[in-house]
Amino acid sequence: MRVGVICLLFPIALLGACSKNTQADGAPSRVEGVIVHIDSIAIDDVNGFTLKDGEVTYDIRIADDVDYGFPLGHLQEHVQSAGPVAVDLEERDGKLYALTIEDV
């Protein structure tokens, strides 16, 4: 009976683990949270930002090859208002890069 229960629970646990938004290397593919810091030289010259999702923080880089569809200075408004964003991510050379940044 024990073996049968374990055999039934294992696929359920495996499905739960696979349903999270993660990349093959375990990095998240999408996070949602508030921006707590912006790494920038000027208002619209943003290199990256720190996003807090619950108790976890992510250092996210801005990709040179992505058009985000808005001036990146808008991210400063999110720092001030604590308005959440959703970010699709890609890991490149061990760093997380934003592929999209959306108001939530």
Side-chain angles (χ1 to χ4, degrees):
M1 178 71 173
R2 267 188 164 164
V3 173
V5 171
I6 291 173
C7 289
L8 286 174
L9 292 177
F10 180 75
I12 293 169
L14 186 60
L15 282 174
C18 293
S19 68
K20 294 192 180 217
N21 293 328
T22 58
Q23 299 176 46
D25 56 11
S29 60
R30 184 172 177 90
V31 293
E32 186 176 314
V34 295
I35 298 173
V36 294
H37 174 75
I38 296 177
D39 175 21
S40 66
I41 298 168
I43 188 96
D44 282 326
D45 191 0
V46 177
N47 298 317
F49 57 94
T50 303
L51 184 120
K52 186 170 182 177
D53 178 9
E55 295 298 316
V56 181
T57 58
Y58 298 94
D59 290 321
I60 300 171
R61 310 301 306 158
I62 296 297
D64 292 335
D65 60 339
V66 174
D67 177 8
Y68 295 101
F70 61 90
L72 292 174
H74 170 69
L75 297 177
Q76 188 63 40
E77 292 177 33
H78 285 274
V79 172
Q80 294 170 353
S81 69
V85 296
V87 183
D88 289 316
L89 299 168
E90 178 177 73
E91 185 169 1
R92 301 177 185 177
D93 297 324
K95 296 179 182 173
L96 293 175
Y97 283 83
L99 299 178
T100 65
I101 306 169
E102 303 167 353
D103 290 353
V104 177

